[in-house]
Short mmCIF file of all heavy atoms in Angstrom, two decimals:
data_model
loop_
_atom_site.label_atom_id
_atom_site.label_comp_id
_atom_site.label_asym_id
_atom_site.label_seq_id
_atom_site.Cartn_x
_atom_site.Cartn_y
_atom_site.Cartn_z
N SER A 107 -194.01 -69.94 -126.28
CA SER A 107 -192.80 -69.91 -127.12
C SER A 107 -191.52 -69.87 -126.29
O SER A 107 -190.46 -69.53 -126.82
CB SER A 107 -192.86 -68.68 -128.03
OG SER A 107 -194.06 -68.65 -128.76
N PHE A 108 -191.60 -70.20 -125.00
CA PHE A 108 -190.43 -70.03 -124.11
C PHE A 108 -189.19 -70.75 -124.65
O PHE A 108 -188.12 -70.16 -124.78
CB PHE A 108 -190.73 -70.52 -122.69
CG PHE A 108 -189.61 -70.26 -121.73
CD1 PHE A 108 -189.55 -69.09 -121.00
CD2 PHE A 108 -188.56 -71.17 -121.57
CE1 PHE A 108 -188.49 -68.83 -120.13
CE2 PHE A 108 -187.50 -70.92 -120.71
CZ PHE A 108 -187.47 -69.75 -119.98
N ALA A 109 -189.33 -72.04 -124.98
CA ALA A 109 -188.16 -72.81 -125.41
C ALA A 109 -187.62 -72.26 -126.72
O ALA A 109 -186.41 -72.09 -126.89
CB ALA A 109 -188.52 -74.28 -125.55
N ALA A 110 -188.51 -71.95 -127.65
CA ALA A 110 -188.06 -71.44 -128.94
C ALA A 110 -187.36 -70.08 -128.78
O ALA A 110 -186.30 -69.85 -129.36
CB ALA A 110 -189.26 -71.30 -129.88
N LEU A 111 -187.94 -69.20 -127.98
CA LEU A 111 -187.38 -67.84 -127.86
C LEU A 111 -186.07 -67.83 -127.08
O LEU A 111 -185.18 -67.04 -127.38
CB LEU A 111 -188.38 -66.92 -127.15
CG LEU A 111 -189.63 -66.55 -127.94
CD1 LEU A 111 -190.55 -65.69 -127.08
CD2 LEU A 111 -189.23 -65.79 -129.20
N ASN A 112 -185.98 -68.66 -126.06
CA ASN A 112 -184.84 -68.55 -125.15
C ASN A 112 -183.73 -69.56 -125.42
O ASN A 112 -182.56 -69.23 -125.27
CB ASN A 112 -185.32 -68.70 -123.71
CG ASN A 112 -186.19 -67.52 -123.29
OD1 ASN A 112 -185.68 -66.41 -123.15
ND2 ASN A 112 -187.47 -67.74 -123.14
N LEU A 113 -184.11 -70.78 -125.77
CA LEU A 113 -183.13 -71.86 -125.79
C LEU A 113 -182.74 -72.32 -127.19
O LEU A 113 -181.57 -72.62 -127.43
CB LEU A 113 -183.69 -73.07 -125.03
CG LEU A 113 -184.04 -72.82 -123.57
CD1 LEU A 113 -184.84 -73.99 -123.01
CD2 LEU A 113 -182.78 -72.60 -122.76
N PHE A 114 -183.70 -72.38 -128.09
CA PHE A 114 -183.44 -73.12 -129.33
C PHE A 114 -183.51 -72.23 -130.56
O PHE A 114 -184.08 -72.59 -131.57
CB PHE A 114 -184.40 -74.30 -129.45
CG PHE A 114 -184.29 -75.25 -128.29
CD1 PHE A 114 -185.41 -75.69 -127.63
CD2 PHE A 114 -183.05 -75.68 -127.84
CE1 PHE A 114 -185.32 -76.56 -126.55
CE2 PHE A 114 -182.93 -76.54 -126.77
CZ PHE A 114 -184.07 -76.99 -126.11
N GLY A 115 -182.92 -71.05 -130.45
CA GLY A 115 -182.79 -70.31 -131.69
C GLY A 115 -183.28 -68.89 -131.69
O GLY A 115 -182.92 -68.12 -132.57
N GLY A 116 -184.09 -68.51 -130.73
CA GLY A 116 -184.51 -67.11 -130.65
C GLY A 116 -185.40 -66.71 -131.82
O GLY A 116 -185.88 -67.54 -132.58
N ARG A 117 -185.64 -65.41 -131.91
CA ARG A 117 -186.51 -64.88 -132.97
C ARG A 117 -185.73 -64.85 -134.28
O ARG A 117 -184.68 -64.22 -134.36
CB ARG A 117 -186.99 -63.48 -132.59
CG ARG A 117 -187.82 -63.48 -131.30
CD ARG A 117 -188.18 -62.07 -130.86
NE ARG A 117 -188.72 -62.11 -129.50
CZ ARG A 117 -189.96 -61.71 -129.16
NH1 ARG A 117 -190.76 -61.23 -130.07
NH2 ARG A 117 -190.37 -61.80 -127.91
N ARG A 118 -186.28 -65.51 -135.30
CA ARG A 118 -185.54 -65.65 -136.56
C ARG A 118 -185.18 -64.28 -137.13
O ARG A 118 -184.14 -64.11 -137.76
CB ARG A 118 -186.38 -66.41 -137.60
CG ARG A 118 -186.68 -67.86 -137.26
CD ARG A 118 -185.49 -68.70 -136.87
NE ARG A 118 -184.32 -68.58 -137.74
CZ ARG A 118 -183.17 -69.18 -137.52
NH1 ARG A 118 -183.01 -69.94 -136.44
NH2 ARG A 118 -182.17 -69.03 -138.34
#
Side-chain angles (χ1 to χ4, degrees):
S107 305
F108 185 91
L111 289 177
N112 292 291
L113 301 168
F114 302 132
R117 299 175 192 241
R118 295 309 313 176

